[in-house]
Every structure is written in structure tokens, then in C-alpha cells.
Amino acid sequence: MTGDGAGSAPTPGTAKPHHGSVAGRLNWLRAAVLGANDGIVSTAGIVVGVAAASADRGPLFTAGLAGLVAGALSMAVGEYVSVSTARDTERAVLDREEQELQLQPDAELDELVGLYEARGLSPQTARQAAAELTAFDPLAAHAEVELRIDPENLTNPWLAAFSSAASFTVGALLPFLAILIPPPTARIPVTAVVVLLALAVTGWLAARLGGAKPLRPILRVTVGGALAMVITFGIGHLVGVMIA
């Protein structure tokens, strides 16, 4: 019995590949976690240092907001430049490969056959696969196997910039709000607790994404964050005493 259900074979050429690998998505998520971690630590250092020097809410708000905005913009610009450079490199490599395909198609076909043979295909199967893929889309065939690039899914610098700025902002909001909401006597202790808990979460997430045991990453990030707050608190307290 035949039908149109799940058992029917797909029509050649109609199946759409999934653009972007799981590894690529994990890399984006890992970058977001690290961006949030940067926002937590840098903003916590700023507001704790200012709180140690002055109990006024105005300087705290100004310094915290300035640090948040400056940090988010810095992350966005840095990521945009970095990813744009990578995208330009990918495009240049693809352009060069396309020229080689036009100038020496037979040599490029033999090269693709060799790559498939290196992956374990028999010479006959490798040549058949290379010929069929080259007939369908020669650049995509070579880009996938030889260059490890998806021509339809190049890195997006604008998305990278926005993601970095957003993750930094989310992380920075935690110490920023934690230092402003409590009364003056509780600001630094509350901020320290919030920051260390948030860093423990980002350390755990980073460990999970990397497939590592969480204890060491959590200790590294929380100890680093605590050290940053202690140093900026000491500097802020010293400056506050000097200008008092």
C-alpha cells in the first residue's frame, strides 16, 4: 500500500538542509554566557568601588549607567569588527574557490574526489558523489568539504554585535540594580551576594556548554569576581578617605 505519509521518499532537490550546526549554536550561547559574565564583573567592580567612596545614590547611578553603556558598546564594536573580519575572510576564500572552479574544473573535481576518498568512500563512490554534487552546486560542494564553510550561512557581524551588547547588558543590570535598591548600609553586601550567585550560574552554564565538571569553572569565576570587588572596594575606600 502506498501513500503520502512519513514513509514516502522525499523528492530529490526538495529537502532543505539545516543551516548552522549544533556546534555553531553552542558557540553563540557560550559567547552570550561569557558576555553576561563580563557585564557582571566589570559593572560590579565599578559600582562597588564608587559605593566604597560615597554613599550618595547619584554618583552610583551615574557611574553604573556609564559603565553599563560603555561596556555594552565596547562589546558590540569589538564583536562587529572581529566577525566582520572573519566574514571578509570567508568571502575571499569563496571567491578564490569559485575562480578555481571556473579556470580548472577537472582538477577541482579530482580534488573533491580525493577529499571524499579520504573520508572513507571507495574511489567509484567518491567520484560519483563528487560528480553529482558538482553538477548541482560546485561551489557549495567544495565549500562544505574542502573549506568547511556554508556559503548560505556566513557569520553575521550585526547579529554578533547585538548579541554581545545584549548579553553584557543583562549581566550588568544585576549589580547595577543590586547597588541602587537596598539602603546604603546594605548596598555592598547585597551586591556581593547577587554578583557571586550570578557568577556561579554563569560558571555552571559555561561548564555545561563545554561538557566539563562545574566545580572548577564556578570557583574560577566566583573567586575572580570576588577579587575584583575586593580590589575596587579598597581603591574606592582609599579615594573616599583621601577626598573626604
Side-chain angles (χ1 to χ4, degrees):
M1 179 178 178
T2 60
D4 297 330
S8 59
T11 303
T14 60
K16 295 183 179 180
H18 295 287
H19 295 303
S21 63
V22 173
R25 289 192 292 270
L26 286 177
N27 285 336
W28 279 105
L29 187 55
R30 188 179 295 110
V33 171
L34 294 177
N37 186 77
D38 288 344
I40 294 169
V41 175
S42 61
T43 306
I46 292 172
V47 296
V48 167
V50 175
S54 172
D56 294 338
R57 193 182 300 270
L60 276 176
F61 179 83
T62 302
L65 183 61
L68 187 155
V69 174
L73 291 176
S74 175
M75 291 285 290
V77 171
E79 195 70 10
Y80 178 83
V81 171
S82 174
V83 175
S84 292
T85 301
R87 186 184 181 94
D88 291 342
T89 302
E90 290 174 338
R91 284 176 169 171
V93 170
L94 289 172
D95 289 342
R96 185 164 59 249
E97 186 67 26
E98 191 170 19
Q99 290 178 357
E100 292 175 355
L101 286 167
Q102 293 174 354
L103 295 175
Q104 44 188 14
D106 293 338
E108 289 296 308
L109 177 61
D110 291 339
E111 182 183 26
L112 189 59
V113 171
L115 290 171
Y116 280 124
E117 289 180 0
R119 289 190 170 192
L121 295 182
S122 66
Q124 181 179 359
T125 303
R127 182 161 293 278
Q128 180 180 357
E132 291 183 3
L133 289 172
T134 298
F136 180 72
D137 190 338
L139 181 60
H142 280 265
E144 178 185 359
V145 179
E146 180 183 353
L147 307 176
R148 306 295 177 89
I149 298 174
D150 183 357
E152 302 298 326
N153 192 34
L154 298 181
T155 50
N156 187 329
W158 289 107
L159 177 60
F162 175 79
S163 300
S164 295
S167 61
F168 183 95
T169 300
V170 170
L173 281 173
L174 296 175
F176 180 60
L177 295 176
I179 204 76
L180 292 176
I181 294 175
T185 56
R187 283 174 182 165
I188 293 178
V190 169
T191 302
V193 171
V194 169
V195 166
L196 293 178
L197 287 176
L199 290 176
V201 172
T202 61
W204 179 82
L205 285 173
R208 290 282 295 177
L209 293 173
K213 294 182 179 180
L215 181 58
R216 285 188 177 181
I218 290 174
L219 287 176
R220 278 197 299 264
V221 72
T222 52
V223 170
L227 184 61
M229 287 188 289
V230 168
I231 292 173
T232 55
F233 174 85
I235 294 173
H237 180 70
L238 180 61
V239 171
V241 170
M242 292 174 61
I243 65 177

